[in-house]
């Protein structure tokens, strides 16, 4: 049996009734019969306590969902999912333990959720009409869903901005970059800014935002191709391949002879430790993520041995979660949309086609194989 989805007061998707599941649908796509759709979705079959999640942990199933008006509660809409955002933080919702990011865990047999762009198919809210394109912050990783309308954000179709960009530069990664650089890092013109994972979803926006503020920006990335990309497309002043520059202290001495004023940390581990040897007095280190440590239990993660540098140089290192800054999302969206229309911020998306590609897409985040933002295109 599978579950028809509805939300309660927390805005999340929850089960309210049972409909027939059809396991055989997993390989034949979506079939529709009037207002009834067969929707494939990914669910958590087993907790992934360490390592990259596999098909033992995440599985694809088919559920039957009614999109008829009688099946949609008031102030809800039926959505056809168009694009799904694939982000590293999703890994931390699959462990079954509150560790590190302390974010709500998915339960076994529960459909997993992510940010998504969807098209309204039916609406029980006068603010939304059939055909409206929206961003949903808690959509099932599936093909269709019923969502509370109050959590949605309508997209202006006349903006000219490609829909996947609402999940990259105008989505969670862009917002993380904006919070880290603009609000917490707050570099002044001429500051030396270092960004790890510079060619990734957060790094590509972060570097461009720092350049807009008149900074000298250096990034690290996992290949020569990526280093070339951040310089030629994202405007970085320079960068280095961390797989070749294995002595991070030597690399940072080379690229930051005058020290580091702001470091946006996306990887943690050995890179963070090395940065602390090169920070200037009053440097700021916003901790956005630590992707090098996500697939390890905490006792196996890299320790940072030189925190005393923070005391002597009065460094401010601060972790942040976006939920604490949602009240600033409107300011971010206004800034970023303006920069994108002016050509000051560019996006680069890796789009994988089909809901069945989600697991491989998530795994790819930990392999250094991607450039830019990973997005799954579900429906055309």
């Amino acid at each position: 049996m599978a579950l028809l989805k509805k939300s309660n007061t927390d805005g999340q998707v929850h089960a309210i009734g049972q409909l027939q599941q059809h396991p055989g649908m997993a390989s034949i796509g979506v079939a529709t019969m009037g207002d009834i759709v067969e929707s494939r979705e990914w669910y958590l079959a087993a907790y992934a306590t360490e390592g990259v999640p596999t098909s033992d942990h995440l599985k694809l199933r088919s559920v039957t969902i009614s999109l008829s008006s009688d099946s949609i509660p008031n102030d809800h809409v039926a959505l056809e999912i168009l694009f799904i955002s694939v982000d590293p933080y999703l890994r931390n919702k699959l462990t079954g333990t509150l560790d590190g990011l302390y974010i709500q865990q998915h339960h076994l047999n529960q459909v997993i959720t992510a940010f998504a762009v969807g098209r309204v198919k039916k609406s029980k809210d006068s603010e939304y009409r059939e055909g409206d394109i929206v961003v949903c912050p808690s959509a099932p990783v599936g093909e269709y869903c019923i969502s509370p309308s109050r959590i949605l954000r309508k997209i202006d179709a006349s903006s000219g901005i490609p829909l996947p960009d609402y999940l990259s530069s105008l989505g969670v990664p862009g917002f993380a970059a904006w919070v880290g650089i603009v609000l917490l890092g707050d570099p002044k013109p001429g500051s030396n800014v270092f960004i790890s994972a510079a060619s990734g979803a957060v790094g590509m926006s972060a570097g461009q935002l720092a350049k807009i503020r008149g900074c000298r920006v250096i990034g690290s990335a996992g290949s020569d191709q990526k280093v070339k990309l951040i310089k030629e497309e994202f405007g970085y002043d320079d960068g280095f391949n961390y797989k070749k520059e294995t002595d991070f202290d030597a690399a940072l001495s080379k690229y930051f002879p005058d020290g580091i004023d702001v470091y946006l940390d996306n990887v943690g581990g050995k890179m963070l430790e090395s940065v602390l040897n090169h920070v200037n007095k009053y440097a700021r280190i916003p901790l956005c993520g630590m992707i090098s440590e996500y697939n390890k239990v905490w006792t196996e993660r890299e320790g940072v041995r030189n925190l005393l540098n923070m005391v002597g140089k009065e460094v401010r290192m601060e972790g942040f979660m976006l939920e604490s800054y949602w009240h600033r999302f409107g300011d971010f969206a206004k800034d970023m949309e303006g920069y994108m229309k002016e050509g000051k911020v560019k996006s680069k998306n890796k789009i994988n086609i089909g809901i069945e590609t989600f697991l491989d897409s998530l795994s790819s985040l930990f392999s250094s194989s991607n450039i830019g933002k990973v997005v799954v295109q579900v429906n055309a």
Side-chain angles (χ1 to χ4, degrees), residues 273-296:
E273 183 176 77
S274 295
V275 166
L276 286 172
N277 289 329
H278 298 271
V279 288
N280 290 327
K281 196 163 187 177
Y282 309 125
R284 294 190 176 191
I285 304 177
L287 301 175
C288 181
M290 296 186 176
I291 195 169
S292 70
E293 310 301 307
Y294 285 169
N295 291 311
K296 305 173 185 176

PDB file of all heavy atoms in Angstrom, residues 273-296:
ATOM      1  N   GLU A 273      41.433  23.350   8.547  1.00  0.00           N
ATOM      2  CA  GLU A 273      42.601  23.427   9.427  1.00  0.00           C
ATOM      3  C   GLU A 273      43.712  24.249   8.793  1.00  0.00           C
ATOM      4  O   GLU A 273      44.338  25.093   9.455  1.00  0.00           O
ATOM      5  CB  GLU A 273      43.100  22.019   9.744  1.00  0.00           C
ATOM      6  CG  GLU A 273      44.264  22.003  10.715  1.00  0.00           C
ATOM      7  CD  GLU A 273      44.668  20.590  11.087  1.00  0.00           C
ATOM      8  OE1 GLU A 273      45.343  19.933  10.252  1.00  0.00           O
ATOM      9  OE2 GLU A 273      44.318  20.149  12.195  1.00  0.00           O
ATOM     10  N   SER A 274      43.962  24.043   7.508  1.00  0.00           N
ATOM     11  CA  SER A 274      45.022  24.789   6.836  1.00  0.00           C
ATOM     12  C   SER A 274      44.696  26.278   6.750  1.00  0.00           C
ATOM     13  O   SER A 274      45.578  27.128   6.929  1.00  0.00           O
ATOM     14  CB  SER A 274      45.253  24.221   5.432  1.00  0.00           C
ATOM     15  OG  SER A 274      45.746  22.898   5.498  1.00  0.00           O
ATOM     16  N   VAL A 275      43.431  26.600   6.499  1.00  0.00           N
ATOM     17  CA  VAL A 275      43.033  28.006   6.411  1.00  0.00           C
ATOM     18  C   VAL A 275      43.351  28.737   7.709  1.00  0.00           C
ATOM     19  O   VAL A 275      43.797  29.898   7.700  1.00  0.00           O
ATOM     20  CB  VAL A 275      41.532  28.116   6.067  1.00  0.00           C
ATOM     21  CG1 VAL A 275      41.020  29.542   6.311  1.00  0.00           C
ATOM     22  CG2 VAL A 275      41.285  27.722   4.612  1.00  0.00           C
ATOM     23  N   LEU A 276      43.158  28.089   8.839  1.00  0.00           N
ATOM     24  CA  LEU A 276      43.384  28.746  10.125  1.00  0.00           C
ATOM     25  C   LEU A 276      44.844  29.148  10.324  1.00  0.00           C
ATOM     26  O   LEU A 276      45.150  29.995  11.172  1.00  0.00           O
ATOM     27  CB  LEU A 276      42.927  27.840  11.267  1.00  0.00           C
ATOM     28  CG  LEU A 276      41.414  27.721  11.436  1.00  0.00           C
ATOM     29  CD1 LEU A 276      41.066  26.661  12.469  1.00  0.00           C
ATOM     30  CD2 LEU A 276      40.810  29.069  11.829  1.00  0.00           C
ATOM     31  N   ASN A 277      45.748  28.569   9.541  1.00  0.00           N
ATOM     32  CA  ASN A 277      47.152  28.984   9.606  1.00  0.00           C
ATOM     33  C   ASN A 277      47.429  30.225   8.770  1.00  0.00           C
ATOM     34  O   ASN A 277      48.531  30.762   8.804  1.00  0.00           O
ATOM     35  CB  ASN A 277      48.067  27.852   9.133  1.00  0.00           C
ATOM     36  CG  ASN A 277      48.117  26.701  10.113  1.00  0.00           C
ATOM     37  OD1 ASN A 277      47.993  26.907  11.317  1.00  0.00           O
ATOM     38  ND2 ASN A 277      48.306  25.496   9.599  1.00  0.00           N
ATOM     39  N   HIS A 278      46.427  30.681   8.001  1.00  0.00           N
ATOM     40  CA  HIS A 278      46.664  31.774   7.042  1.00  0.00           C
ATOM     41  C   HIS A 278      45.674  32.924   7.195  1.00  0.00           C
ATOM     42  O   HIS A 278      45.664  33.827   6.358  1.00  0.00           O
ATOM     43  CB  HIS A 278      46.608  31.224   5.615  1.00  0.00           C
ATOM     44  CG  HIS A 278      47.658  30.201   5.334  1.00  0.00           C
ATOM     45  ND1 HIS A 278      48.913  30.514   4.865  1.00  0.00           N
ATOM     46  CD2 HIS A 278      47.659  28.855   5.514  1.00  0.00           C
ATOM     47  CE1 HIS A 278      49.631  29.411   4.747  1.00  0.00           C
ATOM     48  NE2 HIS A 278      48.896  28.388   5.137  1.00  0.00           N
ATOM     49  N   VAL A 279      44.873  32.913   8.241  1.00  0.00           N
ATOM     50  CA  VAL A 279      43.897  33.987   8.408  1.00  0.00           C
ATOM     51  C   VAL A 279      44.559  35.255   8.941  1.00  0.00           C
ATOM     52  O   VAL A 279      45.560  35.207   9.672  1.00  0.00           O
ATOM     53  CB  VAL A 279      42.764  33.562   9.365  1.00  0.00           C
ATOM     54  CG1 VAL A 279      41.855  32.537   8.699  1.00  0.00           C
ATOM     55  CG2 VAL A 279      43.319  33.019  10.676  1.00  0.00           C
ATOM     56  N   ASN A 280      43.996  36.374   8.551  1.00  0.00           N
ATOM     57  CA  ASN A 280      44.420  37.657   9.088  1.00  0.00           C
ATOM     58  C   ASN A 280      43.668  37.959  10.380  1.00  0.00           C
ATOM     59  O   ASN A 280      42.696  37.289  10.731  1.00  0.00           O
ATOM     60  CB  ASN A 280      44.150  38.772   8.071  1.00  0.00           C
ATOM     61  CG  ASN A 280      45.071  38.684   6.875  1.00  0.00           C
ATOM     62  OD1 ASN A 280      46.221  38.277   6.990  1.00  0.00           O
ATOM     63  ND2 ASN A 280      44.563  39.062   5.705  1.00  0.00           N
ATOM     64  N   LYS A 281      44.124  38.976  11.080  1.00  0.00           N
ATOM     65  CA  LYS A 281      43.441  39.384  12.297  1.00  0.00           C
ATOM     66  C   LYS A 281      42.016  39.823  11.965  1.00  0.00           C
ATOM     67  O   LYS A 281      41.782  40.501  10.951  1.00  0.00           O
ATOM     68  CB  LYS A 281      44.196  40.519  12.989  1.00  0.00           C
ATOM     69  CG  LYS A 281      43.749  40.725  14.437  1.00  0.00           C
ATOM     70  CD  LYS A 281      44.754  41.532  15.236  1.00  0.00           C
ATOM     71  CE  LYS A 281      44.323  41.557  16.708  1.00  0.00           C
ATOM     72  NZ  LYS A 281      45.308  42.262  17.551  1.00  0.00           N
ATOM     73  N   TYR A 282      41.087  39.426  12.792  1.00  0.00           N
ATOM     74  CA  TYR A 282      39.654  39.708  12.649  1.00  0.00           C
ATOM     75  C   TYR A 282      39.026  39.032  11.425  1.00  0.00           C
ATOM     76  O   TYR A 282      37.982  39.459  10.936  1.00  0.00           O
ATOM     77  CB  TYR A 282      39.382  41.217  12.583  1.00  0.00           C
ATOM     78  CG  TYR A 282      40.016  41.996  13.705  1.00  0.00           C
ATOM     79  CD1 TYR A 282      40.869  43.060  13.420  1.00  0.00           C
ATOM     80  CD2 TYR A 282      39.777  41.677  15.039  1.00  0.00           C
ATOM     81  CE1 TYR A 282      41.474  43.794  14.444  1.00  0.00           C
ATOM     82  CE2 TYR A 282      40.376  42.395  16.069  1.00  0.00           C
ATOM     83  CZ  TYR A 282      41.216  43.451  15.764  1.00  0.00           C
ATOM     84  OH  TYR A 282      41.805  44.153  16.788  1.00  0.00           O
ATOM     85  N   ALA A 283      39.662  37.992  10.924  1.00  0.00           N
ATOM     86  CA  ALA A 283      39.083  37.269   9.788  1.00  0.00           C
ATOM     87  C   ALA A 283      37.734  36.669  10.181  1.00  0.00           C
ATOM     88  O   ALA A 283      37.448  36.428  11.366  1.00  0.00           O
ATOM     89  CB  ALA A 283      40.024  36.161   9.325  1.00  0.00           C
ATOM     90  N   ARG A 284      36.922  36.422   9.156  1.00  0.00           N
ATOM     91  CA  ARG A 284      35.614  35.807   9.369  1.00  0.00           C
ATOM     92  C   ARG A 284      35.542  34.499   8.573  1.00  0.00           C
ATOM     93  O   ARG A 284      35.949  34.462   7.405  1.00  0.00           O
ATOM     94  CB  ARG A 284      34.490  36.745   8.952  1.00  0.00           C
ATOM     95  CG  ARG A 284      34.392  37.996   9.819  1.00  0.00           C
ATOM     96  CD  ARG A 284      33.129  38.777   9.543  1.00  0.00           C
ATOM     97  NE  ARG A 284      32.987  39.910  10.431  1.00  0.00           N
ATOM     98  CZ  ARG A 284      31.887  40.642  10.560  1.00  0.00           C
ATOM     99  NH1 ARG A 284      30.817  40.348   9.826  1.00  0.00           N
ATOM    100  NH2 ARG A 284      31.828  41.658  11.390  1.00  0.00           N
ATOM    101  N   ILE A 285      34.992  33.479   9.227  1.00  0.00           N
ATOM    102  CA  ILE A 285      34.866  32.163   8.579  1.00  0.00           C
ATOM    103  C   ILE A 285      33.423  31.677   8.721  1.00  0.00           C
ATOM    104  O   ILE A 285      33.070  31.043   9.730  1.00  0.00           O
ATOM    105  CB  ILE A 285      35.839  31.134   9.180  1.00  0.00           C
ATOM    106  CG1 ILE A 285      37.282  31.639   9.099  1.00  0.00           C
ATOM    107  CG2 ILE A 285      35.696  29.793   8.467  1.00  0.00           C
ATOM    108  CD1 ILE A 285      38.299  30.700   9.730  1.00  0.00           C
ATOM    109  N   PRO A 286      32.554  31.983   7.767  1.00  0.00           N
ATOM    110  CA  PRO A 286      31.204  31.402   7.790  1.00  0.00           C
ATOM    111  C   PRO A 286      31.283  29.927   7.402  1.00  0.00           C
ATOM    112  O   PRO A 286      31.877  29.581   6.377  1.00  0.00           O
ATOM    113  CB  PRO A 286      30.445  32.219   6.724  1.00  0.00           C
ATOM    114  CG  PRO A 286      31.310  33.408   6.424  1.00  0.00           C
ATOM    115  CD  PRO A 286      32.714  32.961   6.672  1.00  0.00           C
ATOM    116  N   LEU A 287      30.710  29.073   8.240  1.00  0.00           N
ATOM    117  CA  LEU A 287      30.707  27.634   7.982  1.00  0.00           C
ATOM    118  C   LEU A 287      29.409  27.263   7.290  1.00  0.00           C
ATOM    119  O   LEU A 287      28.358  27.153   7.934  1.00  0.00           O
ATOM    120  CB  LEU A 287      30.855  26.858   9.294  1.00  0.00           C
ATOM    121  CG  LEU A 287      32.115  27.147  10.120  1.00  0.00           C
ATOM    122  CD1 LEU A 287      32.048  26.399  11.448  1.00  0.00           C
ATOM    123  CD2 LEU A 287      33.366  26.774   9.346  1.00  0.00           C
ATOM    124  N   CYS A 288      29.486  27.075   5.984  1.00  0.00           N
ATOM    125  CA  CYS A 288      28.300  26.771   5.190  1.00  0.00           C
ATOM    126  C   CYS A 288      28.020  25.274   5.145  1.00  0.00           C
ATOM    127  O   CYS A 288      26.873  24.838   5.171  1.00  0.00           O
ATOM    128  CB  CYS A 288      28.497  27.310   3.767  1.00  0.00           C
ATOM    129  SG  CYS A 288      27.102  27.020   2.669  1.00  0.00           S
ATOM    130  N   GLY A 289      29.073  24.466   5.045  1.00  0.00           N
ATOM    131  CA  GLY A 289      28.921  23.016   4.971  1.00  0.00           C
ATOM    132  C   GLY A 289      30.273  22.351   5.078  1.00  0.00           C
ATOM    133  O   GLY A 289      31.314  23.015   4.996  1.00  0.00           O
ATOM    134  N   MET A 290      30.256  21.031   5.285  1.00  0.00           N
ATOM    135  CA  MET A 290      31.505  20.279   5.409  1.00  0.00           C
ATOM    136  C   MET A 290      31.360  18.968   4.663  1.00  0.00           C
ATOM    137  O   MET A 290      31.342  17.883   5.262  1.00  0.00           O
ATOM    138  CB  MET A 290      31.850  20.055   6.888  1.00  0.00           C
ATOM    139  CG  MET A 290      32.113  21.342   7.643  1.00  0.00           C
ATOM    140  SD  MET A 290      32.695  21.055   9.333  1.00  0.00           S
ATOM    141  CE  MET A 290      33.012  22.756   9.850  1.00  0.00           C
ATOM    142  N   ILE A 291      31.275  19.074   3.351  1.00  0.00           N
ATOM    143  CA  ILE A 291      30.917  17.908   2.545  1.00  0.00           C
ATOM    144  C   ILE A 291      31.955  16.796   2.641  1.00  0.00           C
ATOM    145  O   ILE A 291      31.625  15.618   2.461  1.00  0.00           O
ATOM    146  CB  ILE A 291      30.675  18.323   1.076  1.00  0.00           C
ATOM    147  CG1 ILE A 291      29.947  17.216   0.314  1.00  0.00           C
ATOM    148  CG2 ILE A 291      31.968  18.718   0.394  1.00  0.00           C
ATOM    149  CD1 ILE A 291      29.454  17.644  -1.047  1.00  0.00           C
ATOM    150  N   SER A 292      33.191  17.124   2.976  1.00  0.00           N
ATOM    151  CA  SER A 292      34.211  16.079   3.082  1.00  0.00           C
ATOM    152  C   SER A 292      33.950  15.155   4.276  1.00  0.00           C
ATOM    153  O   SER A 292      34.531  14.078   4.365  1.00  0.00           O
ATOM    154  CB  SER A 292      35.607  16.699   3.217  1.00  0.00           C
ATOM    155  OG  SER A 292      35.769  17.332   4.481  1.00  0.00           O
ATOM    156  N   GLU A 293      33.072  15.573   5.198  1.00  0.00           N
ATOM    157  CA  GLU A 293      32.835  14.811   6.423  1.00  0.00           C
ATOM    158  C   GLU A 293      31.442  14.176   6.494  1.00  0.00           C
ATOM    159  O   GLU A 293      31.141  13.453   7.439  1.00  0.00           O
ATOM    160  CB  GLU A 293      33.009  15.744   7.635  1.00  0.00           C
ATOM    161  CG  GLU A 293      34.300  16.545   7.630  1.00  0.00           C
ATOM    162  CD  GLU A 293      35.533  15.667   7.596  1.00  0.00           C
ATOM    163  OE1 GLU A 293      35.657  14.771   8.441  1.00  0.00           O
ATOM    164  OE2 GLU A 293      36.378  15.873   6.691  1.00  0.00           O
ATOM    165  N   TYR A 294      30.572  14.445   5.514  1.00  0.00           N
ATOM    166  CA  TYR A 294      29.174  14.031   5.639  1.00  0.00           C
ATOM    167  C   TYR A 294      28.982  12.517   5.683  1.00  0.00           C
ATOM    168  O   TYR A 294      28.046  12.030   6.300  1.00  0.00           O
ATOM    169  CB  TYR A 294      28.350  14.595   4.474  1.00  0.00           C
ATOM    170  CG  TYR A 294      28.039  16.071   4.572  1.00  0.00           C
ATOM    171  CD1 TYR A 294      27.510  16.769   3.499  1.00  0.00           C
ATOM    172  CD2 TYR A 294      28.267  16.766   5.744  1.00  0.00           C
ATOM    173  CE1 TYR A 294      27.220  18.116   3.573  1.00  0.00           C
ATOM    174  CE2 TYR A 294      27.993  18.115   5.832  1.00  0.00           C
ATOM    175  CZ  TYR A 294      27.466  18.784   4.747  1.00  0.00           C
ATOM    176  OH  TYR A 294      27.176  20.113   4.838  1.00  0.00           O
ATOM    177  N   ASN A 295      29.843  11.778   5.012  1.00  0.00           N
ATOM    178  CA  ASN A 295      29.641  10.334   4.915  1.00  0.00           C
ATOM    179  C   ASN A 295      30.391   9.545   5.975  1.00  0.00           C
ATOM    180  O   ASN A 295      30.510   8.323   5.882  1.00  0.00           O
ATOM    181  CB  ASN A 295      30.044   9.844   3.516  1.00  0.00           C
ATOM    182  CG  ASN A 295      29.082  10.337   2.462  1.00  0.00           C
ATOM    183  OD1 ASN A 295      27.874  10.218   2.610  1.00  0.00           O
ATOM    184  ND2 ASN A 295      29.612  10.909   1.394  1.00  0.00           N
ATOM    185  N   LYS A 296      30.885  10.255   7.006  1.00  0.00           N
ATOM    186  CA  LYS A 296      31.634   9.610   8.091  1.00  0.00           C
ATOM    187  C   LYS A 296      30.878   9.748   9.409  1.00  0.00           C
ATOM    188  O   LYS A 296      30.198  10.760   9.639  1.00  0.00           O
ATOM    189  CB  LYS A 296      33.018  10.258   8.259  1.00  0.00           C
ATOM    190  CG  LYS A 296      33.872  10.292   6.994  1.00  0.00           C
ATOM    191  CD  LYS A 296      35.134  11.104   7.242  1.00  0.00           C
ATOM    192  CE  LYS A 296      35.969  11.267   5.986  1.00  0.00           C
ATOM    193  NZ  LYS A 296      37.148  12.144   6.224  1.00  0.00           N
TER     194      LYS A 296
END
